[in-house]
Amino acid sequence: MLDHGQAPPLTSEPRKPAHPLLRRKPVETLVAEGGQGEGGTLRRSLTMWQLTMISIGATLGTGIFVVLGEAAPKAGPAVTISFIIAGLTALFSALSYAELAGSVPVSGSSYSYSYATMGEFIAWICGWCLVLEYAVSVAAVAVGWGQYLNELLDGTIGVTLPESISAPMGEGGFINLPSLVVVLLAMVFLMRGAKESATINSIMVAVKIVTLLLFIGIGVMGIKSGNYTPLAPLGVTGISAAASTLFFSYIGFDAASTAGEEAKNPKKDLPRAIMLSLGIVTVLYVLVAFVAVGAMPWQDFEGTEAALAQIMTDVTGHSFWGVVLAAGAVVAIASVVFAVLYGQTRILFAMSRDGLVPKVFAKVDEKSGAPRANVVIVSLFCGALAAFIPLGELANATSIGTLFAFALVNVAVVILRRTKPDMPRTFKVALFPVTPVLGFLACAYMMYSLPVATWVAFGGWMAVGLVVYFLYGIRRSTLATAEK
């Protein structure tokens, strides 16, 4: 009889399915393989607080600093309500993530959950969507970092970087050097190991939270009650449209689930980190939005990408506070690059261990306990995207990739409840199965609402993914080799 410190025995391989696309990886195998890489193992060093900071780091960034310029003109002062609605919509999927992260604490996030419940082909599609979500998001956010850096330089020393080195080819420049720099800085920190990386991330997250609290403290002095009326000038339709826009500001809470093999106590800490991070982010979003629309008429947000900095300057009468906010935004966006890049490397680590991508992504450095080769390859790829390639609709297609992964997580919760009802769960979705069904429907609706051009870009990405899978993954996966 095993004691509680031993790993559970691996179940026998399931009967070979009718088609290789349907082969599933047992949950017990996924858990037992936790941390195992090529030549080394990941180290369990992350606390619940560090996991929470990773999740906040990946979520709280460009959204709140630029999104009000898009959302406030749609909802008016009721944009605060839109933030709440978007947060509740994200909560449906967050609950499903929390249950699965506590039950199957592995690095693959929704990719691994899909592998255990829906089979290899669906898992590959999910994993390929996550590659799109994380890699292109890193590049897109890095480009945004360069823009805020220019604002900071302009506000402090009165100069900006020339367009030739701050924009990619096709957009007036030759190379976007700032975006490449911030990705490479994140790479350097990530190569030091999970614990050291998490410490740096926690510091950056603390800075951006303090920056937003500073905005709330100063901005509240400029609130005029007349700015809140009429509350919803464009009606319920405007509130709903703004909520759809704001939903994407909550994407990133799932980053904690990619740390499942480096958490000290993943079964308890991962669900707590996911829920706590979403709660903190929602409260900050609502408070910032309430103060912002109270301090500046909602009509003035149209076309404004630096509304918070403008409000700080208007309320105080000094440009200094706008510069402070710009500095906070530079740190905030850098932390998003860092946390999302971390998540990308860990998802590829899991896919590599399963044989679906080359083994180099699962190679672990014994000294640092980090997948260094993985970090370098992914960082150079993302840095090149940000520096040289106009992302265009491919960046928008990350929305579909993310929503697709969220939808699969909601489905996976239902399947795993039916196939393994007695499996230990440290967290359970409330109001099951209503909550995951609502989460799935919300994601499907958001995907349906996206423009045709975004769907075309996403279709092109998925076509490339199918070619890679059928030429490489389907024959090299560990489940395929085990059947030979």
Side-chain angles (χ1 to χ4, degrees), residues 420-443:
K420 290 187 173 294
D422 299 324
M423 185 177 71
R425 291 172 169 83
T426 55
F427 181 92
K428 286 189 175 184
V429 172
L431 301 176
F432 180 88
V434 175
T435 300
V437 169
L438 289 175
F440 175 84
L441 293 176
C443 292

Side-chain angles (χ1 to χ4, degrees), residues 342-373:
Y342 168 84
Q344 173 69 99
T345 60
R346 271 41 179 189
I347 289 168
L348 282 172
F349 175 86
M351 296 177 72
S352 175
R353 186 171 56 200
D354 293 337
L356 296 179
V357 297
K359 290 295 184 184
V360 66
F361 291 101
K363 186 174 177 59
V364 177
D365 179 72
E366 292 186 9
K367 184 178 180 180
S368 64
R372 284 188 165 184

